[in-house]
Amino acid sequence: EPEVTQTPSHQVTQMGQEVILRCVPISNHLYFYWYRQILGQKVEFLVSFYNNEISEKSEIFDDQFSVERPDGSNFTLKIRSTKLEDSAMYFCASLDYYGYTFGSGTRLTVV
Amino acid sequence: AQSVTQPDIHITVSEGASLELRCNYSYGATPYLFWYVQSPGQGLQLLLKYFSGDTLVQGIKGFEAEFKRSQSSFNLRKPSVHWSDAAEYFCAVGGKNSGGSNYKLTFGKGTLLTVNP
């Protein structure tokens, strides 16, 4: 069964550093998403990406965040200057007619 | 705005007992509805989904859910719970936005299921 692959599974970074979270969505999907789950809380929508551009973003997705699909395969989330409150599990997802497929997540720890 | 309410934060059942997890949603059009399960430190596994058609949907691991439009509910059920079902369960709603180019999901806060032997 096709999978959404996320790397790394766990990343520790110092406050103020830039991080890039990587995702390989399912190849024939057209819609791509990033979601975030702070420990013990619900999963929150960050951003959706369609036709090579952001189609919607939440208020969480401020100027520190950016997304790219540089080569038609990878889908990345960049956080320019991490803050302690960015510590969370980040999920990538892609969508086709049959529904969402989520990756297994990247746990980001900002120290 | 779309929203999901899962009224039960924590439910404890005995192994072999039946289970019902409640989910109420708010959505302006016909919703797409999902139930996901998450074990500690793990990702989100899709249990089942409703897009259209038969309002009783069957999922994996013996789970089912019923879409009731009049009650804005999509409750998850299982007739006999196994110890391995202990996990957190999330209900989610999504669909096309007015621009037709997005299907973002809004999740509930989750229900933690504990299964006693």
Side-chain angles (χ1 to χ4, degrees):
Chain A
E1 191 170 324
E3 290 184 341
V4 173
T5 305
Q6 288 187 244
T7 55
S9 57
H10 191 186
Q11 180 153 0
V12 180
T13 189
Q14 289 200 323
M15 191 169 53
Q17 295 297 303
E18 174 183 287
V19 295
I20 297 176
L21 309 183
R22 303 182 190 280
C23 170
V24 179
I26 296 173
S27 60
N28 59 349
H29 286 193
L30 299 177
Y31 299 87
F32 311 104
Y33 304 82
W34 284 100
Y35 289 81
R36 176 181 87 173
Q37 184 183 31
I38 295 172
L39 186 64
Q41 298 188 22
K42 69 176 180 179
V43 179
E44 301 173 290
F45 168 78
L46 288 179
V47 65
S48 59
F49 194 85
Y50 171 72
N51 203 24
N52 283 321
E53 61 183 19
I54 291 174
S55 55
E56 185 172 349
K57 57 185 180 181
S58 72
E59 60 273 13
I60 302 168
F61 195 89
D62 61 22
D63 292 344
Q64 293 299 312
F65 291 88
S66 63
V67 289
E68 273 191 331
R69 189 161 159 77
D71 56 10
S73 173
N74 294 285
F75 180 50
T76 61
L77 174 69
K78 182 193 291 186
I79 309 174
R80 264 180 272 282
S81 177
T82 50
K83 303 187 277 285
L84 293 176
E85 54 264 38
D86 294 327
S87 294
M89 181 79 96
Y90 289 81
F91 293 104
C92 173
S94 66
L95 176 70
D96 71 350
Y97 174 78
Y98 299 101
Y100 271 75
T101 302
F102 280 88
S104 55
T106 293
R107 178 163 297 285
L108 176 65
T109 303
V110 182
V111 298
Chain B
Q2 57 197 65
S3 66
V4 174
T5 302
Q6 293 181 247
D8 304 304
I9 297 172
H10 188 187
I11 283 183
T12 300
V13 299
S14 297
E15 191 168 16
S18 64
L19 172 70
E20 182 169 32
L21 303 182
R22 295 183 289 165
C23 172
N24 293 97
Y25 68 89
S26 173
Y27 192 75
T30 300
Y32 298 159
L33 293 157
F34 306 82
W35 274 99
Y36 288 89
V37 61
Q38 184 181 39
S39 297
Q42 301 300 307
L44 297 163
Q45 182 181 24
L46 178 67
L47 286 175
L48 46 77
K49 63 190 179 219
Y50 171 79
F51 282 1
S52 64
D54 193 346
T55 56
L56 184 64
V57 293
Q58 302 296 322
I60 62 171
K61 305 184 180 186
F63 286 92
E64 68 176 26
E66 186 170 12
F67 170 56
K68 293 185 177 180
R69 184 188 299 274
S70 62
Q71 298 176 20
S72 297
S73 70
F74 189 57
N75 294 346
L76 181 72
R77 300 193 294 249
K78 186 169 184 178
S80 178
V81 169
H82 188 261
W83 64 267
S84 60
D85 293 324
E88 186 140 30
Y89 292 78
F90 293 94
C91 180
V93 66
K96 273 189 178 181
N97 68 3
S98 57
S101 62
N102 185 45
Y103 296 85
K104 73 174 184 182
L105 291 184
T106 297
F107 285 80
K109 292 185 177 181
T111 297
L112 180 64
L113 175 66
T114 299
V115 180
N116 287 334

